[in-house]
Amino acid sequence: MDSPADLANRSVSRLIQNEVTTEIPVHLLFRDDPDPGRRDPRPAPVALGPAVVGSRRGTGEQPRSRRRVPGPAGPAPEPDPALVERPARVLPGVVGVLAGACGAAGCVVTSWWAGVLPPLAQGLPLPGGAGAGLGLPQWAAYAGAGALGLAGFGGLTRGPAGRAWVLGLYGRYRGTVRRTGLFWANPLVRRRRVDVRLRHWRSEPMPAADAGGIPLRVAVLVVWRVRDTARAVLGVDDHEAYLRRCVEAALARVRPAAPGGSRGAAEATGDALTRLVARETEAAGLEVYSVRPARVEYAPEVADAMHRRGVAALDARDRAGALTSVVDSVEDTVTRLTTRGLVDLDDGERKVLVRDLTVAFCAGRRETIP
């Protein structure tokens, strides 16, 4: 019979001669972020034997799944870096007026030089060289003076307060003019006027749904203005239509409060709409200050049913309040009678008195309600 020492030697003998095992701590198998600077109070490592390999692979340990924080529904549109508002190069309006006046005066002088003035001016004593007729020099003088007059008067533009001019030449953006008064710009540029004042827009009733999925019709009030004229005019086809579409998309993502909701819920709805619309319209050069629900009502297909539901809820609330008032009144009456010693009632008489008082109070309350 084998001795205990022989059994111990046999238990630690290798089953496979070329087998390699490694001692690893048991507590490290299920630990993702060990802290080497902290002393672990757990027991020392032990040998696991041939069934455990020296790496984490194959130990049966499952990786921990970390909870992901949901991000935004979609990335905001990136603005075109080439479309950034910059001031255009223009001249004061007096320069255009002087250039146009000089061109007109040049045409008059050329006509006098060619001798084509009206008959009244023909009788005046003219110096030598006048009345030479229309030759090549006269036509060249007419062309120069006419071009100067057209350039001077054709480039004059009036800049009203609260408006800006977006200038473009041959399809390229040449700058924005925000100055007021008369100024002169290149007469060949294309000018588009943009309203940069603070504006508000009240939408028509748009479809939406509350937190319970009940269809609603919501009219919102949007306060906004054009911040970057280059992006508003050249970045989108129509920035006002783009704003409307962004409001509709925001209403599809935000659940407005139902009609008759609390003021805090309405404020939360407005803040969420403002953030979404401001984020979407930033690429179009628009600055949105607030988007607030101006009117919230149920859709026509559910309006009657929700009205009946609201009336029933109000009626139930009134009935509960009336019953509470009657019960309080009966209790107060019985308590006063018994406390002051006016009546001495047993349980049966107390029940009868409570019943009679309840019937009387309910009948009297029904008569007082119109």
Side-chain angles (χ1 to χ4, degrees):
M1 186 172 182
D2 295 335
S3 63
D6 296 337
L7 293 176
N9 294 332
R10 186 179 302 173
S11 62
V12 298
S13 61
R14 296 180 179 177
L15 300 178
I16 303 176
Q17 297 300 324
N18 57 355
E19 171 189 347
V20 178
T21 59
T22 305
E23 295 182 359
I24 62 174
V26 177
H27 65 278
L28 293 181
L29 290 176
F30 304 96
R31 189 173 180 183
D32 290 340
D33 49 351
D35 187 2
R38 187 182 64 179
R39 186 175 181 181
D40 196 347
R42 289 180 246 194
V46 296
L48 298 181
V52 180
V53 297
S55 63
R56 292 170 60 95
R57 183 180 302 174
T59 59
E61 178 185 358
Q62 299 295 330
R64 295 184 179 181
S65 60
R66 298 184 178 180
R67 187 177 183 181
R68 295 183 179 181
V69 179
E78 294 293 336
D80 189 355
L83 295 178
V84 179
E85 180 179 334
R86 60 178 184 271
R89 298 179 181 179
V90 295
L91 297 177
V94 64
V95 175
V97 173
L98 291 178
C102 291
C107 291
V108 172
V109 171
T110 304
S111 299
W112 168 72
W113 178 25
V116 294
L117 289 176
L120 180 60
Q122 294 292 342
L124 299 177
L126 301 177
L134 291 175
L136 183 60
Q138 287 78 17
W139 285 115
Y142 270 127
L148 182 61
L150 290 177
F153 289 124
L156 290 176
T157 308
R158 183 176 62 89
R163 269 85 170 178
W165 290 96
V166 178
L167 308 183
L169 181 61
Y170 303 125
R172 293 186 58 187
Y173 172 61
R174 307 300 297 178
T176 301
V177 182
R178 286 182 177 262
R179 61 186 300 176
T180 59
L182 196 64
F183 63 90
W184 183 88
N186 186 353
L188 299 179
V189 298
R190 183 182 180 184
R191 308 164 199 180
R192 301 181 182 180
R193 189 168 66 177
V194 185
D195 192 346
V196 295
R197 297 174 297 179
L198 187 65
R199 305 165 65 182
H200 70 277
W201 167 63
R202 182 186 175 97
S203 70
E204 65 278 359
M206 293 183 290
D210 63 359
I214 300 176
L216 303 174
R217 290 294 184 270
V218 182
V220 298
L221 181 65
V222 185
V223 180
W224 63 286
R225 72 178 181 92
V226 175
R227 180 176 54 86
D228 193 312
T229 56
R231 294 177 182 175
V233 175
L234 305 176
V236 294
D237 187 19
D238 186 354
H239 60 273
E240 295 184 0
Y242 182 78
L243 176 63
R244 295 188 183 95
R245 300 298 178 267
C246 290
V247 171
E248 293 177 1
L251 278 176
R253 297 169 57 183
V254 176
R255 300 296 185 180
S262 62
R263 183 176 180 180
E267 291 291 335
T269 301
D271 294 340
L273 288 174
T274 302
R275 288 193 300 268
L276 287 177
V277 176
R279 176 172 168 268
E280 297 294 335
T281 57
E282 183 180 2
L286 306 181
E287 186 174 6
V288 178
Y289 292 96
S290 66
V291 181
R292 302 294 176 186
R295 184 179 180 182
V296 181
E297 58 186 8
Y298 290 107
E301 58 270 18
V302 298
D304 294 338
M306 298 308 297
H307 178 70
R308 291 193 299 268
R309 179 180 176 182
V311 171
L314 290 176
D315 186 58
R317 190 183 308 169
D318 292 342
R319 290 178 182 272
L323 181 59
T324 302
S325 177
V326 169
V327 171
D328 292 341
S329 300
V330 171
E331 181 184 6
D332 184 64
T333 302
V334 175
T335 302
R336 288 186 179 185
L337 290 175
T338 55
T339 302
R340 296 181 182 182
L342 298 178
V343 292
D344 187 9
L345 304 174
D346 55 9
D347 292 341
E349 293 174 346
R350 183 185 297 274
K351 293 179 180 179
V352 173
L353 179 60
V354 169
R355 182 190 61 189
D356 294 341
L357 289 176
T358 302
V359 172
F361 284 152
C362 288
R365 188 176 183 87
R366 190 180 303 112
E367 292 177 359
T368 57
I369 296 177

